[in-house]
Amino acid sequence: MVGKRFFHAFKSCFKGSPTARTMATSAGILVASKTGLPVPEDVKEKKHHLPNGRFANPWPSWQDINRVELGKWAITGYFAGSWPKPEAKAISVVKPQFEESRTGVKELRATWLGHACFLVEFPGGFRALFDPVFCHRCSPVQFMGPARYTKVPCEIEEIPLVDAVVISHAHYDHLDVGSVKRIHAKWPEAHFFVPMNNKKWFKSLGIDNCTEQDWWEDMEITIDLSKGKDAATEGETASTLSATISNFPCQHTAGRTLTDLNSTLWSSWGVTSGGKSVYFAGDTGYRAVPKVEEGEDDYGEKYQDLPYCPAFKQIGDLRGPFDLGMIPIGAYSPRQFMSPMHANPYDSVNIFVDTKCKKAIGMHWGTFVLTNEPIMEPPQKLRDALKAKGIPETGVFDVVATGESKIFTDEA
């Protein structure tokens, strides 16, 4: 009864509001708009929305990519055999260890599950899964396309609990139909949070537990712990668990076919629960760098005036600091093609600083061959970039083994 009274009371708070969005599920989960958090002064201008219904990066740091030249480079490199060939077991893989119950989660813990996929466990028991891709190939089909060279550390069915699934954008290495179906089959009550115009894709799979958000929109998910698997035992007082899910900008593109370029939005995200907050950068660039000579430093004096994406500093100033950042460090070469949409480690460290993350874990490397930098170069360049910025090379912005967990406390 306690849970039922809470659910209807909470729902009634938003009745009749023209701007609030609410969504209840059969498992006792409520998702509602959250207002009052700081946003940029020009947020209502929606400069990233185009008149044709598509989206754009509204900053000088973005430069459109010559897709014909990019295609030629990719095809030539593939048939010439110049793409990196990973050695067997180049990236360490360990079996993840998850808390089986909510009550066992006392501290913030993040587990890297390969590429851009993380499971984050918050104090109090809320759990968010980011960009889950458990397939063999990040491709429209599973008989061709970039293949996983690092095995998955666990299967979806081995994860004990997921409350929210957060998706950065619709590219195949971040949104996989098979993985989404398996997640929904195991946790039909789990709620998906996606950027604008992605909800229809989930509805086509029969998934209604989905909320789409624009940049700088915030939602609150509240879970009634008297329901379903979380039901309190006799004599216990039912309680609730909540989290704030915040959609933020990043610099990228989106699409799943040859005709839907940028018809869906791309995003980075913030999630706050149990007194802890994390920043998930998704897939993003930081600057647009022209073609550079082999071995040339694109952060050298020649390139020091290149504009950088201002969104990250806005995020840090308005919503930081974050206890943990999950920030991409790979898939950045060649720079003339990749820099607008993929950060290299020097960009990554700047994103880390701009967003005011206290600690970070590198992602978007070590799983699929998407570009032509050497497989183990991103971690080395990350150490170099940290040193150049005067940040300790270990213990602040680290890389971990696939499947490895890190705990983040106030003292850590």
Side-chain angles (χ1 to χ4, degrees):
M1 288 298 295
V2 174
K4 188 173 183 179
R5 286 198 301 270
F6 154 79
F7 198 69
H8 286 292
F10 193 97
K11 192 174 181 182
S12 67
C13 293
F14 296 91
K15 189 175 181 181
S17 170
T19 57
R21 288 184 288 158
T22 63
M23 180 177 188
T25 76
S26 58
I29 295 177
L30 186 74
V31 176
S33 298
K34 183 169 185 176
T35 59
L37 296 176
V39 298
E41 292 181 0
D42 63 350
V43 69
K44 292 183 179 180
E45 295 180 24
K46 296 188 179 295
K47 297 177 182 178
H48 58 295
H49 288 238
L50 297 178
N52 63 4
R54 302 199 180 207
F55 302 95
N57 295 287
W59 312 288
S61 55
W62 170 259
Q63 180 178 298
D64 281 327
I65 303 158
N66 187 323
R67 296 180 184 278
V68 174
E69 292 300 317
L70 175 61
K72 288 180 181 177
W73 164 79
I75 293 170
T76 301
Y78 177 80
F79 286 107
S82 60
W83 286 60
K85 296 178 176 58
E87 296 180 9
K89 300 182 180 178
I91 310 297
S92 298
V93 180
V94 299
K95 191 73 173 176
Q97 299 296 317
F98 305 114
E99 287 290 345
E100 292 294 325
S101 68
R102 292 193 190 278
T103 56
V105 183
K106 306 297 184 183
E107 298 169 307
L108 178 67
R109 182 166 70 168
T111 304
W112 185 45
L113 299 175
H115 199 53
C117 181
F118 280 87
L119 180 74
V120 178
E121 300 165 274
F122 291 84
F126 183 78
R127 307 193 195 197
L129 184 63
F130 295 83
D131 280 7
V133 173
F134 287 76
C135 55
H136 179 60
R137 295 182 186 273
C138 56
S139 170
V141 293
Q142 287 298 298
F143 59 83
M144 64 180 296
R148 182 183 293 272
Y149 62 83
T150 304
K151 66 179 182 180
V152 293
C154 68
E155 296 297 339
I156 288 170
E157 292 72 18
E158 297 175 79
I159 300 173
L161 181 64
V162 170
D163 296 307
V165 184
V166 180
I167 304 296
S168 65
H169 66 299
H171 284 159
Y172 286 92
D173 58 322
H174 295 258
L175 179 60
D176 170 55
V177 63
S179 300
V180 167
K181 287 179 176 179
R182 288 167 63 188
I183 290 166
H184 184 61
K186 181 171 184 185
W187 303 286
E189 71 278 9
H191 204 89
F192 289 82
F193 293 88
V194 302
M196 290 294 291
N197 290 2
N198 281 286
K199 184 174 181 177
K200 59 182 179 238
W201 185 87
F202 285 84
K203 287 186 72 69
S204 73
L205 301 179
I207 298 174
D208 293 317
N209 300 342
C210 182
T211 297
E212 60 184 24
Q213 292 170 240
D214 203 352
W215 290 351
W216 297 105
E217 283 190 346
D218 303 280
M219 305 296 290
E220 184 166 41
I221 177 172
T222 304
I223 302 168
D224 183 348
L225 297 181
S226 70
K227 298 202 177 266
K229 297 177 183 178
D230 296 311
T233 58
E234 186 175 355
E236 288 184 338
T237 301
S239 60
T240 60
L241 184 64
S242 65
T244 299
I245 315 292
S246 302
N247 186 296
F248 297 133
C250 64
Q251 182 171 291
H252 200 58
T253 64
R256 294 178 75 81
T257 70
L258 294 175
T259 61
D260 70 345
L261 178 64
N262 298 344
S263 63
T264 58
L265 187 59
W266 50 95
S267 302
S268 63
W269 294 86
V271 178
T272 301
S273 184
K276 295 292 183 179
S277 62
V278 302
Y279 173 68
F280 179 69
D283 202 352
T284 186
Y286 188 70
R287 306 172 301 149
V289 176
K291 186 175 182 179
V292 298
E293 298 299 324
E294 184 72 26
E296 186 178 10
D297 178 11
D298 62 40
Y299 266 96
E301 185 176 352
K302 180 179 175 182
Y303 303 103
Q304 65 179 355
D305 294 328
L306 289 177
Y308 60 86
C309 181
F312 302 106
K313 191 173 187 308
Q314 281 186 320
I315 293 166
D317 289 345
L318 293 171
R319 300 298 184 87
F322 297 92
D323 295 289
L324 169 65
M326 295 161 278
I327 300 175
I329 64 171
Y332 51 77
S333 179
R335 295 292 279 155
Q336 72 267 28
F337 295 133
M338 298 299 161
S339 62
M341 56 184 177
H342 286 165
N344 78 354
Y346 287 86
D347 299 327
S348 307
V349 171
N350 281 326
I351 292 171
F352 168 73
V353 172
D354 286 355
T355 52
K356 298 183 180 179
C357 294
K358 297 176 184 177
K359 299 291 178 69
I361 298 175
M363 65 174 186
H364 206 260
W365 78 284
T367 310
F368 301 105
V369 174
L370 301 176
T371 50
N372 68 0
E373 75 269 7
I375 296 301
M376 297 304 297
E377 184 180 89
Q380 179 58 58
K381 278 202 169 187
L382 176 61
R383 291 189 291 270
D384 294 342
L386 290 165
K387 183 178 180 180
K389 205 79 172 178
I391 300 172
E393 296 175 45
T394 59
V396 178
F397 189 160
D398 292 324
V399 295
V400 298
T402 306
E404 184 179 353
S405 300
K406 288 202 73 174
I407 293 175
F408 299 88
T409 65
D410 292 334
E411 295 78 25

